[in-house]
Amino acid sequence: MKAYQDKIEIYSELYHKTNKKYNSISLLRLLSIFLLLFFMFNYIKTDKILYVILAVLSFAGFIFLMKIHSRLSFQKLLADTLLKINRNEIIFLKRENKPFENGVEFIDFHHPYAYDLDIFGEHSLFQNLNRTATFVGKKTLADLLLHTLPQSEILENQEAVNELKDKLEWRQEFQALGIMSQDSKKSYEAINYWASFKNNSLPKVLNALSFILPTLFFGFLAAYFITSKTIILSYLTYIFIANLIVLGRAVKRIQSEIAKADNVDKIIKQYSLLIEKIENENFQSKKLLRLQEQLVFKNAKASQHLKQLSELFSRMDTISNFVTATLFNGTFLFNLHVLKALLKWKENYSSEIDHWVSIIGEIEALNSLANLAYNNSDFVFPEINSEYKIEFKNLSHPLLNPVTRIGNDTNFYPLSFVILTGSNMSGKSTFLRSLGINMVLSGIGSVVCASEAKVHPLPVLVSMRLSDSLSDSESYFFAEIKRLKQIMDELENKPAFVLLDEILRGTNSDDKRNGTIEVVKKIISKKAIGAIATHDIEVCLTTNEYPDILTNQCFEAEIQNNELHFDYKLRNGICKNKSATFLMQKMGVI
């Protein structure tokens, strides 16, 4: 937290200094306009050439100050955004609030674990991890959390995350540029729509006229200044009108190119700055270097190509200004030439846009994982193996308060499946979720909430918290049966890490017990690794049939000074204490 507080002091000072310069330049800019008007007035009044020279110098000064003003405006916004980023991190670490998007739009009730493990939504894993700012970054992080990567990619991600973890300043500046882009799904889709929308090339006649008519216009204009013959002015008028007629023939084509492209120039400009940030950084890890290498196309950097595209879209905006459009197009068909440049750019580079933007998304997702590692120095990268060995020391849930969370040691070899017992509130469900969340994090190359970990990455399959599907007229029970069927089908293809919490709650006790035992037998026959929580002691006796596979573990409740006490520590064996009976007696229920 101290690092973030130090950053706040640095960026606060930078913001105030920049703001002071910004205000000074604003005043000087106004002064230059005043001087321009003053000198022009005096020229009209006195006809002295000196005032013309001074007016020109004032205008040049205004243009120069405009550029400085624009640069300071950007620096001011950047400093302010960096301030907010560091304040948000402190708010988050103090557990006062979670000022990050929660990814609720990615909730999928049918996913094998996303809903059960609270991957998305309020107080979710996504909300705690998410440090993305662009639409593609958010989507990339969401997709990453929904799949287990191949081992080679996990190791590459671990290396990249470990490198980015210590690049705090770079990560925050990258995040700030993303926030400043004000990117959205709509703008992302607009850019992709433009890139994929293929138009035919312009007619050859239109191409020829775009050069011939402007050449004639400026030729006659030069002739007029040389000869001062007024008849030339009439020719200029005809050519001016001809240029506008030619433009009229191309207006529909121009409109089709810039359709849905509001503010696209600004967003592409920010994309270019994000990519430039990647291009200019000195990376060491294999994945980051590979992503960096992919940002060179046709002997030029991707950021340069995108800046050119942004500039073309910005120039095309003049078509919507009647006065500017009439003047520029009547003289040299400005927007037609911009259209030709846009079409040429699209032909040469449009196939790469989506790939370049996807690299931004990948970096944002990796930055989010790096931020988790940075904020939790006690978390570790799991050792990845291919021997189905899964072991955690001091395992806990990464979203629990670090001051109060309690860790447990657990392993799944040589015994591969745990039957877990314990009273309500003793910690069974939290332990199962801890296992699930950390297996998900292991499978994407992240650090995990443990002091030591060895993991064989496996698909995670969970039945813990299903929802009635009213739209499908499904009961909770039927939804649970469908989930169990989904788990069995997945296990037909390959082994997986399976977590089950009190399954078959919608049927009678005998049916539930027998069904649970059969589910356990079926799952372990398919080489699944994992755990099932149950209150039924007879289910625990299944370990007698499969002593080399199944083991009993439990969470106990203790009665101390006539109060129920939970220590949330995992023990070997079957739960013995009956906390429900004690609580009902204490509260006078029985």
Side-chain angles (χ1 to χ4, degrees):
M1 195 178 296
K2 185 180 182 303
Y4 296 129
Q5 290 169 337
D6 292 342
K7 291 289 182 187
I8 285 175
E9 291 179 12
I10 292 168
Y11 292 129
S12 292
E13 185 179 354
L14 177 62
Y15 176 82
H16 291 305
K17 284 182 178 178
T18 307
N19 192 47
K20 189 175 180 180
K21 291 178 183 177
Y22 177 86
N23 292 333
S24 299
I25 294 296
S26 296
L27 288 173
L28 289 173
R29 195 174 58 157
L30 286 173
L31 179 61
S32 66
I33 290 293
F34 173 78
L35 289 172
L36 172 64
L37 296 173
F38 175 76
F39 293 137
M40 289 300 293
F41 173 77
N42 277 278
Y43 170 70
I44 293 168
K45 187 176 179 181
T46 64
D47 205 28
K48 290 183 178 179
I49 196 69
L50 175 63
Y51 289 115
V52 174
I53 296 170
L54 291 173
V56 169
L57 290 174
S58 297
F59 182 72
F62 173 76
I63 298 298
F64 177 71
L65 290 170
M66 278 287 289
K67 289 183 178 180
I68 296 176
H69 187 268
S70 178
R71 178 169 54 81
L72 289 173
S73 177
F74 176 84
Q75 291 175 354
K76 178 183 170 184
L77 180 58
L78 180 63
D80 186 48
T81 306
L82 287 164
L83 264 175
K84 289 175 183 175
I85 287 171
N86 284 279
R87 285 170 180 158
N88 283 343
E89 289 296 340
I90 289 176
I91 289 170
F92 172 75
L93 290 174
K94 287 182 176 179
R95 309 184 79 80
E96 295 173 357
N97 195 7
K98 291 184 173 64
F100 312 111
E101 287 191 64
N102 59 29
V104 66
E105 65 269 34
F106 300 111
I107 290 177
D108 179 3
F109 296 110
H110 302 293
H111 189 271
Y113 59 79
Y115 179 66
D116 301 72
L117 296 180
D118 297 312
I119 300 298
F120 304 110
E122 200 62 26
H123 307 294
S124 64
L125 177 64
F126 181 90
Q127 188 176 32
N128 280 264
L129 282 177
N130 182 26
R131 297 302 184 273
T132 67
T134 68
F135 169 74
V136 71
K138 185 167 64 171
K139 187 174 181 297
T140 303
L141 179 60
D143 289 342
L144 186 64
L145 291 170
L146 293 175
H147 303 92
T148 302
L149 298 175
Q151 289 196 18
S152 59
E153 292 184 34
I154 292 172
L155 293 172
E156 282 192 0
N157 275 8
Q158 285 187 354
E159 185 187 19
V161 169
N162 195 39
E163 180 178 359
L164 289 170
K165 178 186 69 175
D166 298 322
K167 292 181 178 289
L168 176 62
E169 187 172 336
W170 186 89
R171 283 192 289 108
Q172 289 194 341
E173 288 178 2
F174 191 85
Q175 184 183 354
L177 290 172
I179 293 170
M180 289 163 61
S181 72
Q182 297 183 321
D183 184 37
S184 66
K185 181 179 180 180
K186 182 180 177 182
S187 58
Y188 172 76
E189 289 177 344
I191 293 168
N192 276 342
Y193 172 82
W194 176 81
S196 62
F197 184 69
K198 303 298 181 184
N199 270 330
N200 297 325
S201 58
L202 291 174
K204 291 181 180 179
V205 174
L206 211 58
N207 259 320
L209 290 174
S210 69
F211 290 105
I212 293 169
L213 290 175
T215 302
L216 286 174
F217 182 87
F218 286 104
F220 278 109
L221 185 64
Y224 171 73
F225 282 118
I226 293 169
T227 64
S228 298
K229 291 182 178 180
T230 54
I231 193 171
I232 295 177
L233 292 177
S234 62
Y235 297 147
L236 282 173
T237 304
Y238 296 142
I239 298 171
F240 189 91
I241 294 170
N243 276 335
L244 293 179
I245 292 171
V246 170
L247 179 72
R249 301 284 293 181
V251 163
K252 286 186 178 179
R253 185 63 185 279
I254 290 171
Q255 289 174 338
S256 72
E257 283 298 323
I258 63 174
K260 302 181 182 179
D262 295 340
N263 294 320
V264 160
D265 60 317
K266 295 175 184 174
I267 292 167
I268 292 174
K269 177 69 179 295
Q270 287 301 120
Y271 281 167
S272 73
L273 293 176
L274 285 164
I275 286 175
E276 188 175 40
K277 194 79 178 165
I278 301 169
E279 292 168 341
N280 294 338
E281 184 60 17
N282 183 27
F283 292 123
Q284 303 297 324
S285 63
K286 187 188 299 183
K287 181 165 186 174
L288 294 174
L289 286 171
R290 186 171 66 250
L291 292 174
Q292 198 175 48
E293 288 166 3
Q294 292 171 24
L295 294 174
V296 176
F297 187 70
K298 294 190 176 180
N299 299 319
K301 293 181 177 179
S303 60
Q304 294 172 356
H305 296 312
L306 288 175
K307 283 177 183 177
Q308 182 187 11
L309 179 61
S310 172
E311 183 62 31
L312 289 172
F313 269 112
S314 182
R315 290 174 188 171
M316 192 60 88
D317 282 346
T318 58
I319 196 73
S320 59
N321 185 309
F322 179 77
V323 176
T324 305
T326 302
L327 179 62
F328 282 18
N329 291 296
T331 54
F332 59 97
L333 290 169
F334 175 77
N335 287 105
L336 185 56
H337 286 286
V338 175
L339 174 63
K340 287 161 61 181
L342 262 178
L343 293 175
K344 187 172 181 58
W345 194 100
K346 181 187 283 191
E347 181 184 352
N348 291 332
Y349 311 114
S350 63
S351 61
E352 298 299 309
I353 289 183
D354 190 53
H355 179 56
W356 292 336
V357 175
S358 72
I359 290 174
I360 294 174
E362 287 200 55
I363 295 294
E364 284 192 289
L366 291 170
N367 276 351
S368 295
L369 299 183
N371 195 76
L372 175 72
Y374 183 83
N375 284 347
N376 298 275
S377 57
D378 54 333
F379 288 13
V380 298
F381 287 103
E383 294 179 26
I384 304 300
N385 66 78
S386 303
E387 291 80 43
Y388 295 96
K389 293 181 179 180
I390 296 175
E391 178 182 9
F392 294 98
K393 290 187 178 178
N394 199 29
L395 172 80
S396 188
H397 199 293
L399 306 192
L400 292 177
N401 191 328
V403 177
T404 57
R405 70 185 174 215
I406 295 171
N408 283 288
D409 296 349
T410 185
N411 68 73
F412 294 87
Y413 70 94
L415 305 178
S416 61
F417 210 86
V418 174
I419 298 177
L420 188 65
T421 52
S423 63
N424 290 328
M425 304 183 296
S426 63
K428 297 195 309 300
S429 294
T430 299
F431 177 70
L432 291 180
R433 285 195 170 88
S434 299
L435 281 170
I437 286 287
N438 284 291
M439 284 298 293
V440 170
L441 291 173
S442 296
I444 62 175
S446 172
V447 292
V448 296
C449 184
S451 59
E452 188 178 322
K454 297 175 183 177
V455 175
H456 179 135
L458 292 169
V460 178
L461 306 174
V462 182
S463 179
M464 291 183 65
R465 191 192 66 191
L466 301 172
S467 173
D468 288 6
S469 179
L470 298 179
S471 61
D472 295 335
S473 300
E474 288 184 357
S475 67
Y476 179 96
F477 180 69
F478 188 61
E480 187 175 34
I481 296 298
K482 284 179 65 176
R483 173 54 61 84
L484 291 173
K485 176 67 165 62
Q486 180 186 8
I487 289 172
M488 297 304 177
D489 289 344
E490 289 291 330
L491 288 172
E492 289 289 344
N493 302 320
K494 53 187 173 182
F497 192 82
V498 178
L499 297 171
L500 307 174
D501 189 11
E502 283 299 319
I503 61 171
L504 307 178
R505 278 172 279 190
T507 185
N508 65 64
S509 56
D510 287 339
D511 197 23
K512 175 185 175 184
R513 180 192 316 112
N514 294 332
T516 301
I517 291 171
E518 292 305 316
V519 166
V520 170
K521 289 180 178 180
K522 184 79 174 287
I523 283 176
I524 62 175
S525 72
K526 295 179 181 294
K527 309 300 182 186
I529 299 173
I532 180 171
T534 181
H535 285 293
D536 201 314
I537 301 302
E538 288 192 35
V539 175
C540 301
L541 301 180
T542 314
T543 56
N544 296 328
E545 295 183 51
Y546 303 94
D548 296 331
I549 300 174
L550 295 175
T551 183
N552 287 308
Q553 295 185 329
C554 66
F555 288 95
E556 287 284 12
E558 297 179 354
I559 300 170
Q560 298 177 356
N561 300 321
N562 203 34
E563 293 291 339
L564 201 60
H565 172 71
F566 299 101
D567 62 7
Y568 306 111
K569 297 302 293 184
L570 187 66
R571 296 171 170 82
N572 291 322
I574 302 171
C575 174
K576 297 180 177 61
N577 291 334
K578 300 177 180 179
S579 59
T581 303
F582 170 78
L583 278 175
M584 288 192 290
Q585 289 174 339
K586 183 177 175 62
M587 297 177 69
V589 176
I590 57 175

